[in-house]
Amino acid sequence: MSQEINKHIAQAIAEIAVFLEFSGEEAINPDAAVQALEQLASTLQMADSETKSSLCSQFENIAMEYSDEQAEFVESLGEALGLIEE
């Protein structure tokens, strides 16, 4: 997968994750948001290690496009989604 495609995919994943994490109850049911994030994580965890590593790097790079708490969330998204292999 090319870096440019990875950047757009990572950006799309980050935008959805930020929406699910930071939207209030008036926008989305909190339980549904958690369930959606868990499903997203489960699906992404099936990727090969090279793809997961690339996505984590992209999350860290695009985090600077966000501010404060959202930037921290995006920067640590790889870990939060269980994509970092130890």
Side-chain angles (χ1 to χ4, degrees):
M1 186 180 304
S2 77
Q3 284 293 79
E4 193 61 26
I5 290 174
N6 262 350
K7 180 179 183 209
H8 294 295
I9 291 170
Q11 183 72 45
I13 293 168
E15 289 171 1
I16 292 297
V18 166
F19 171 77
L20 292 170
E21 181 71 17
F22 292 96
S23 292
E25 290 183 24
E26 66 282 350
I28 187 168
N29 177 292
D31 292 335
V34 169
Q35 187 175 21
L37 280 170
E38 288 173 349
Q39 182 60 51
L40 178 64
S42 175
T43 300
L44 291 174
Q45 288 168 8
M46 290 187 272
D48 61 55
S49 59
E50 183 180 336
T51 300
K52 290 189 278 190
S53 176
S54 180
L55 277 173
C56 291
S57 293
Q58 290 292 345
F59 293 146
E60 291 172 8
N61 291 337
I62 63 176
M64 66 186 82
E65 298 173 21
Y66 294 85
S67 60
D68 302 324
E69 193 177 354
Q70 290 183 355
E72 291 175 23
F73 175 75
V74 172
E75 186 174 8
S76 66
L77 201 50
E79 185 177 350
L81 294 174
L83 304 181
I84 296 176
E85 298 176 359
E86 298 178 26

